Amino acid sequence: PLSSLSGLSRISIIDWDVHHGNGTQQAFYADPRVMFVSIHQDRNYPVDSGSSKELGEGAGRGYNLNIPLPPGCGHGAYMEAIAAACRVAEAHRPELVLVSCGFDPAWTDPLGAMMCHSGTFREMTRMAMGVAERCCGGKIVLAHEGGYSEAYTPFCGLAVVEALAGRKSGTEDPWLGEYSMLGQQEAQPHQVAAVRDALQALEAVRPGASG
């Protein structure tokens, strides 16, 4: 239980695995001490969970945010989504930030249909770290979740570790230049609308939840 975690009373969890964080959502769905935000591919897996209408229940109503993104989202769309997630996470004033760090939104991942590259994961990590630095003295934990491209997941993981360490290893992502130049990497209007609609759903039940 949350009460056993060294006296912590508020935690924010950000999940950017390509699949909906349905297990975490279920665990804390009625708990206002935990602000859970899931950024995922809409109707990937499970196909029947992860709607922006799933906002928590009971005392936890308004403490669950799903940002279901359409297939084909790249760096720009994920920057929109993580910015929104971080605003919501920070507004909760967490004493600890947890990140479910899946690498399956990457361009080459066989279980997703997204277009992220190592630079996307590096920047999302930096932004989540910013929330932790402003709210709880930098207390952040990243847990490796999905990531099924044997060739590319290691470079995405390295980008996250480098961001956490605040230093470069000297190992470069050989595909970063190519992947970052793919068409549609910039945020598209329908992708931005998906993020906006999710935030509006949250604000409708808990005004001020997005900061």
Side-chain angles (χ1 to χ4, degrees):
L2 185 59
S3 59
S4 68
L5 295 176
S6 302
L8 296 177
S9 58
R10 292 182 308 279
I11 292 176
S12 289
I13 305 173
I14 300 172
D15 184 334
W16 62 57
D17 191 275
V18 82
H19 307 107
H20 177 231
N22 57 311
T24 309
Q25 173 175 295
Q26 181 178 357
F28 299 109
Y29 206 54
D31 194 337
R33 298 170 298 175
V34 178
M35 183 68 237
F36 177 58
V37 186
S38 178
I39 303 168
H40 52 271
Q41 182 181 322
D42 191 19
R43 295 183 59 79
N44 180 323
Y45 182 86
V47 296
D48 58 351
S49 78
S51 164
S52 59
K53 296 178 181 179
E54 297 167 14
L55 296 161
E57 64 184 10
R61 181 76 168 163
Y63 290 89
N64 191 90
L65 172 64
N66 288 313
I67 305 178
L69 296 175
C73 287
H75 182 81
Y78 269 82
M79 290 300 97
E80 294 281 339
I82 191 64
C86 285
R87 288 200 303 274
V88 171
E90 185 166 348
H92 190 54
R93 295 180 294 111
E95 297 164 346
L96 175 67
V97 176
L98 302 179
V99 176
S100 301
C101 178
F103 297 109
D104 37 13
W107 168 237
T108 57
D109 199 277
L111 296 188
M114 297 305 202
M115 298 171 58
C116 296
H117 48 68
S118 62
T120 311
F121 296 101
R122 185 186 306 276
E123 189 57 29
M124 289 197 294
T125 301
R126 287 173 175 166
M127 293 174 73
M129 290 172 66
V131 175
E133 289 163 1
R134 291 187 293 272
C135 293
C136 51
K139 297 182 179 68
I140 186 169
V141 176
L142 279 81
H144 182 185
E145 291 204 343
Y148 307 94
S149 170
E150 294 181 1
Y152 198 55
T153 294
F155 293 103
C156 298
L158 178 61
V160 167
V161 172
E162 288 179 342
L164 289 168
R167 59 183 299 176
K168 298 294 289 291
S169 65
T171 300
E172 299 296 330
D173 174 358
W175 293 288
L176 178 57
E178 178 183 349
Y179 292 171
S180 62
M181 292 177 63
L182 291 169
Q184 308 299 308
Q185 277 290 5
E186 64 276 9
Q188 304 299 306
H190 68 291
Q191 298 164 349
V192 175
V195 177
R196 182 194 63 227
D197 291 348
L199 285 178
Q200 288 178 345
L202 180 67
E203 284 285 341
V205 300
R206 192 163 67 88
S210 60

